Amino acid sequence: MGHIHEYYTGKTLLVTGATGLVGKVLVEKVLHDLPDVERIYVLIRPKKQQHGSTLSAADRFSQEILSTSAFDGLRAKYSEQFKAYVSQKVVAVAGDLSQERLGLSEPMYRQLQQEVNVVINSAALVSFDAPLDQALTLNVVGTKRILEFTRGCTNAIYAHISTCYVNGTREGPVPEEPFHPTFTVGHFNKRPQTPYDVDDELIAIQRQVERLKKDNAGKSPEQLEKRLVKEGFQWAQRRGWNDVYTFTKAMGEQLIVRYQGEVPTLVLRPSIIESSMQTPQPGWLDGFRMLDPLIVAYGRERLPDFPGNKEGILDIVPVDMVVNALLAAIPWSHHRGGLQICHVASGMENPLMLPRFARLVQEHFRKVPLNARSNRPQNLPDMTFPSTPAFLRKLYLHQRLPLRLSIFMAKLNPNTDKRRRALRVAESKQSALDRLGLYARLYGPYAEVRCQYLTHHMREVWDSLSPAEREQFNFDVRTIDWARYIQDIHIGGIRRFLLNLSTSLPTEPPVRTVVQEIEASSDTILQGANSSSPGASMNGPSYAGADKAAGQPRGGQASAVAVRRATSLIMPAPQAEVKRWLRSSPLAKVSQAAWRMWLDIFYHAYLGFSVDGLEHVPSKGPLVVVSNHSSHLDSGALIVALKRRNHDLHPMAARDYFFNTPFRRWASRVLLNAAPFDRERHVGESLALALGILNHGHSVIFFPEGSRSTSGVVQPFKRGIGLLAVESGVPVLPAYISGTYQSLPKGKGWPARHHVHVRFGPPIIATTASNSDESPTDLVRRLTADVQRAVEALAAHVPSRPHR
């Protein structure tokens, strides 16, 4: 496979959907960074205007694409030669995917097939509540037509922009695999869904649309459209999708699988596409996307809450990363041939948890109110993320119903100016509440997803690029600093490009301390380990292994403490606070012993249990036990495995889950001997508590991924483990747990019988030479990387065990 520039040199592209967000950024990127392309044909449908005239394809390209601020950088680059350069490279062609042969004349159709080398289809009806006939025409029939066009080209590749959400209501890890034309997505959730053939389904839907049009022939166009919208929802949900958009996009993919033939094909599935990270401008948007109306409503104090899954991932990808991924994946796919599926998503390598997203938005608007003219502090509530039905019930009972009653009572009053003003205000509020209810029904399911989109293919594409290409076509989601992107870039872009409010976007992130960085990334993995981090130099920090014979870390704990940095990054929690969590009554000790005896029986007799590597476990002294985390069974597995040391072993458990009710708090404190870890707001204080526990000679269990993996794959570690290891100086005991994900994955209520295995590796301890100039941040980052590598290395030795 040649480099990106070499591949596109002399190539002719056909782009559909150029008037959309992805299309505009794509055309600008090609013109700006791939000037050696031969030509770009943009297929644009002429638009009928209100006064009866028609806006041509060329006029639409000029007015709706070229004149936007997305091309400001290109305009500055070419200055007076801008128009000439664009005219030389871009040809706007009048066409329509809803028409046979793309609405082109026969000579133009044949000419394009002879010239075009790369077909990029980004056209779609991206509306979750679109009428069924319109969504079917563009997302399904249109896909088949553009694929037929590509099959008539000479050695052309077809690149189809889809969405991760074609996977519908699937749960758990979602691989990059095609949809067979004869099944429904409900198959994955073991729901009673009847498989269908995509061609038969297309015909059945078209017949239903015709029946609805016939039955509603005497009704207004608005009534017919409403009926078609309802039918689209119902049909999609019967088949296992949330809405007509994802359903019809999935059908389009199924047609690609059936009719691809010998055409090299790439199906690119982005997750939620939002504003650009860097190009064409930071925060650039051309209109409100899925999240943006909710962000603005919250900033204007009109969004009291929103449905969602508290433990769910909000999978966002900046639009320029989607375009960069597309341009890099096309040569990769063409070289491999056949059909390639690529997810462009952040949830696998840099997950943004939904509560953290809400908190970042809240923090931004508290610092920089959306209504800057108001001097009062904004009343911005904490999001609780109920289910969609619960949210809609609360919205109706607490707001919509009282408002309806007030409107009814107001209409009983005399017709005065005061009454009319009150009615206008009330009806305006009613309209806003109606929109909020609509948003909840449309977007709520996307905040409640219980899956994780795997991105192994895009990682393979990334690994094939040169350093220069990685810089110019960056789509590495691990580089996204979510705090900076959400607060400065994205909301800044909303203010600037959508609300026309003055704003300045910082070009460099602010300098933060190590603890501030960890707290800022408490729900992301950006600040986690970089698996490619180089090892320590001879003069820098070193990570000592273990003396297997003695079962103690090389050099001993005392020497490690002696070489700790003089400037502490965190201080232990107050003695009284630490002793409060270490103190146990005689009754609590008896309860704990009985519980751990029951755990031992449950793991060995019901699940099946084995452990190896116990020779690496130091016989005494404090430890930080570090493991992968994919199940609620993980803490119990480590407790059972370390039973000779579990009397002073404290799992650091999520405060927002294990300590959020009186019963859970009692069970976690008394039975598990757990201590709370606030992974949302006070990470530094929680690390201080863990440090205090270690300083008292006790040990802690620490899961550096921050939350359970939804795929069973080890997620990048957060830097808290590196900081804790550096500050405590105690051995870090790596462990790998297998079988718990298969028994009790995230979202499952009762464990299945599946063998659980725990493997321990040699302890790691951080030491620093006295003359080292290594910064604390680099030391923490490097140690975090080594701990993750040690845990991942243990996964290679997991024994194969059958289900019980």
Side-chain angles (χ1 to χ4, degrees):
M1 184 184 72
H3 294 300
I4 295 176
H5 285 273
E6 294 173 355
Y7 176 83
Y8 287 101
T9 297
K11 291 283 197 302
T12 295
L13 282 60
L14 174 65
V15 177
T16 69
T19 56
L21 175 67
V22 174
K24 290 171 184 170
V25 176
L26 171 63
V27 172
E28 193 277 339
K29 182 69 175 182
V30 173
L31 291 174
H32 194 281
D33 289 347
L34 296 172
D36 293 327
V37 296
E38 180 67 23
R39 184 165 288 109
I40 307 172
Y41 287 106
V42 289
L43 191 72
I44 301 177
R45 176 178 52 84
K47 181 190 291 185
K48 290 185 178 180
Q49 297 181 295
Q50 290 182 348
H51 50 75
S53 63
T54 299
L55 197 64
S56 68
D59 289 339
R60 287 194 67 189
F61 176 74
S62 176
Q63 296 177 22
E64 299 179 18
I65 301 175
L66 203 58
S67 63
T68 65
S69 55
F71 290 81
D72 286 352
L74 190 70
R75 198 174 286 107
K77 178 180 179 179
Y78 286 94
S79 188
E80 296 178 355
Q81 302 301 317
F82 171 72
K83 289 186 177 180
Y85 171 69
V86 173
S87 299
Q88 176 190 357
K89 294 293 182 181
V90 182
V91 177
V93 178
D96 189 345
L97 292 186
S98 67
Q99 303 296 321
E100 291 288 346
R101 301 184 75 76
L102 309 182
L104 301 172
S105 66
E106 188 63 25
M108 176 57 72
Y109 193 86
R110 293 300 179 192
Q111 177 187 339
L112 291 178
Q113 285 186 319
Q114 292 171 6
E115 295 184 23
V116 169
N117 311 111
V118 179
V119 177
I120 301 176
N121 181 23
S122 67
L125 184 56
V126 188
S127 175
F128 301 145
D129 58 344
L132 180 57
D133 58 337
Q134 296 178 23
L136 197 73
T137 298
L138 190 55
N139 297 343
V140 183
V141 179
T143 297
K144 186 176 180 180
R145 286 174 177 150
I146 192 70
L147 182 60
E148 288 174 352
F149 168 87
T150 310
R151 291 180 63 177
C153 297
T154 304
N155 193 31
I157 181 173
Y158 175 62
H160 181 82
I161 300 179
S162 185
T163 171
C164 281
Y165 297 96
V166 294
N167 291 285
T169 53
R170 290 180 67 171
E171 298 180 0
V174 178
E176 296 159 294
E177 61 186 16
F179 287 150
H180 193 273
T182 59
F183 70 76
T184 173
V185 77
H187 161 82
F188 294 107
N189 294 340
K190 299 179 181 179
R191 297 181 179 180
Q193 309 253 350
T194 304
Y196 66 80
D197 181 276
V198 64
D199 284 300
D200 294 341
E201 186 82 349
L202 176 58
I203 294 172
I205 296 175
Q206 289 173 330
R207 288 175 177 170
Q208 177 65 6
V209 168
E210 291 303 316
R211 280 195 295 268
L212 290 175
K213 290 182 176 180
K214 183 178 179 180
D215 294 343
N216 293 268
K219 297 181 180 179
S220 67
E222 292 77 14
Q223 289 175 309
L224 174 60
E225 180 174 304
K226 186 177 181 179
R227 184 66 186 88
L228 289 169
V229 168
K230 182 178 180 181
E231 185 67 24
F233 266 116
Q234 292 175 342
W235 203 296
Q237 291 173 357
R238 281 198 302 269
R239 291 303 192 185
W241 282 268
N242 291 316
D243 50 62
V244 70
Y245 166 63
T246 51
F247 173 50
T248 53
K249 289 294 286 184
M251 288 183 66
E253 285 196 25
Q254 290 176 303
L255 287 175
I256 291 172
V257 173
R258 171 161 289 173
Y259 294 108
Q260 161 204 2
E262 300 299 320
V263 176
T265 301
L266 164 68
V267 174
L268 195 83
R269 294 175 181 166
S271 56
I272 300 172
I273 303 175
E274 285 294 348
S275 66
S276 57
M277 174 71 76
Q278 293 178 321
T279 58
Q281 299 181 54
W284 190 82
L285 283 165
D286 66 345
F288 284 95
R289 307 287 295 176
M290 190 177 88
L291 298 176
D292 310 327
L294 304 176
I295 291 174
V296 172
Y298 185 76
R300 289 176 173 168
E301 304 178 36
R302 297 174 184 171
L303 188 68
D305 206 343
F306 202 74
N309 174 16
K310 288 182 180 179
E311 297 185 353
I313 296 170
L314 188 62
D315 206 311
I316 300 174
V317 181
V319 62
D320 52 339
M321 287 193 170
V322 174
V323 168
N324 291 339
L326 173 69
L327 292 173
I330 286 174
W332 175 84
S333 300
H334 206 160
H335 174 73
R336 296 185 64 160
L339 173 62
Q340 305 299 327
I341 309 291
C342 292
H343 290 161
V344 185
S346 57
M348 173 180 163
E349 297 184 301
N350 190 1
L352 173 64
M353 309 308 289
L354 186 60
R356 184 169 190 240
F357 168 78
R359 191 169 66 253
L360 290 173
V361 174
Q362 183 186 66
E363 289 174 355
H364 173 89
F365 285 127
R366 282 180 173 172
K367 294 176 182 176
V368 189
L370 194 56
N371 184 5
R373 291 173 293 182
S374 175
N375 294 324
R376 66 177 181 83
Q378 287 199 280
N379 180 26
L380 299 174
D382 294 332
M383 292 288 179
T384 63
F385 300 112
S387 66
T388 299
F391 173 81
L392 291 174
R393 284 196 302 270
K394 184 178 179 181
L395 183 69
Y396 178 78
L397 294 174
H398 291 196
Q399 296 191 54
R400 298 182 72 177
L401 181 58
L403 186 60
R404 287 185 180 182
L405 292 175
S406 67
I407 292 175
F408 174 77
M409 297 301 295
K411 289 182 178 179
L412 297 178
N413 294 328
N415 189 15
T416 62
D417 290 341
K418 182 178 180 180
R419 170 184 177 270
R420 286 191 291 270
R421 284 194 301 270
L423 278 175
R424 283 197 299 269
V425 171
E427 288 169 353
S428 176
K429 289 182 179 180
Q430 185 179 46
S431 178
L433 291 175
D434 289 343
R435 286 196 302 272
L436 179 55
L438 176 63
Y439 290 153
R441 285 187 290 271
L442 294 180
Y443 303 148
Y446 293 87
E448 296 180 277
V449 292
R450 300 182 181 274
C451 66
Q452 186 177 48
Y453 303 110
L454 305 183
T455 53
H456 298 300
H457 289 170
M458 286 314 306
R459 182 53 49 194
E460 187 175 335
V461 176
W462 177 260
D463 291 341
S464 72
L465 302 182
S466 68
E469 288 174 322
R470 292 181 181 183
E471 182 176 353
Q472 191 172 24
F473 297 91
N474 177 35
F475 56 88
D476 187 0
V477 296
R478 297 175 300 183
T479 63
I480 302 174
D481 180 341
W482 287 119
R484 183 168 183 261
Y485 174 73
I486 297 298
Q487 295 182 329
D488 299 334
I489 296 176
H490 184 60
I491 300 182
I494 292 174
R495 292 175 181 271
R496 179 182 177 189
F497 297 109
L498 302 185
L499 303 179
N500 296 317
L501 301 175
S502 60
T503 182
S504 59
L505 297 174
T507 57
E508 295 294 337
V511 177
R512 294 183 288 198
T513 67
V514 179
V515 177
Q516 286 174 329
E517 287 184 351
I518 293 171
E519 288 188 337
S521 63
S522 60
D523 282 322
T524 77
I525 63 163
L526 174 66
Q527 307 294 351
N530 182 347
S531 59
S532 62
S533 297
S537 65
M538 291 298 291
N539 295 327
S542 62
Y543 311 118
D547 186 334
K548 295 184 180 181
Q552 293 289 348
R554 205 175 286 154
Q557 181 185 341
S559 62
V561 175
V563 296
R564 281 181 53 203
R565 294 184 175 274
T567 303
S568 293
L569 300 175
I570 55 174
M571 297 297 293
Q575 293 279 348
E577 175 71 8
V578 176
K579 288 181 178 179
R580 183 167 72 90
W581 291 104
L582 297 183
R583 188 185 304 117
S584 293
S585 67
L587 180 59
K589 290 180 180 179
V590 171
S591 300
Q592 186 181 116
W595 172 257
R596 296 196 172 188
M597 184 183 300
W598 182 89
L599 275 182
D600 192 89
I601 296 172
F602 174 79
Y603 277 80
H604 283 91
Y606 178 74
L607 296 177
F609 188 80
S610 59
V611 59
D612 62 50
L614 288 173
E615 68 274 13
H616 298 306
V617 182
S619 59
K620 59 182 179 179
L623 287 171
V624 180
V625 183
V626 171
S627 171
N628 60 308
H629 190 32
S630 58
S631 172
H632 280 322
L633 296 173
D634 294 335
S635 293
L638 292 173
I639 289 171
V640 171
L642 294 168
K643 57 183 175 182
R644 63 181 175 137
R645 300 231 19 201
N646 65 23
H647 62 281
D648 62 353
L649 190 60
H650 303 270
M652 301 303 294
R655 180 187 291 274
D656 59 305
Y657 185 87
F658 289 97
F659 293 83
N660 64 342
T661 67
F663 175 76
R664 284 183 177 178
R665 185 162 53 248
W666 174 85
S668 301
R669 171 70 184 85
V670 174
L671 302 182
L672 283 179
N673 205 19
F677 193 95
D678 191 335
R679 55 186 178 178
E680 293 192 357
R681 293 182 182 272
H682 305 292
V683 178
E685 294 177 12
S686 299
L687 289 172
L689 176 59
L691 181 59
I693 292 173
L694 294 169
N695 287 349
H696 275 72
H698 289 236
S699 301
V700 299
I701 294 174
F702 202 86
F703 296 115
E705 293 168 88
S707 63
R708 289 167 291 160
S709 168
T710 58
S711 64
V713 178
V714 178
Q715 305 301 304
F717 285 6
K718 296 173 182 145
R719 291 192 206 168
I721 180 57
L723 183 57
L724 184 61
V726 169
E727 286 301 305
S728 67
V730 307
V732 175
L733 181 67
Y736 186 84
I737 306 170
S738 61
T740 54
Y741 174 77
Q742 290 77 9
S743 176
L744 188 65
K746 195 171 185 176
K748 190 174 180 181
W750 180 256
R753 301 190 72 185
H754 195 286
H755 189 91
V756 174
H757 180 78
V758 178
R759 181 180 181 86
F760 295 105
I764 300 171
I765 191 166
T767 60
T768 308
S770 59
N771 63 343
S772 170
D773 59 356
E774 190 81 7
S775 72
T777 299
D778 289 341
L779 174 61
V780 168
R781 182 186 295 113
R782 289 173 183 269
L783 182 56
T784 302
D786 265 21
V787 172
Q788 175 157 0
R789 281 195 289 268
V791 172
E792 290 175 335
L794 297 173
H797 304 284
V798 172
S800 177
R801 299 274 181 172
H803 292 271
R804 289 171 61 82

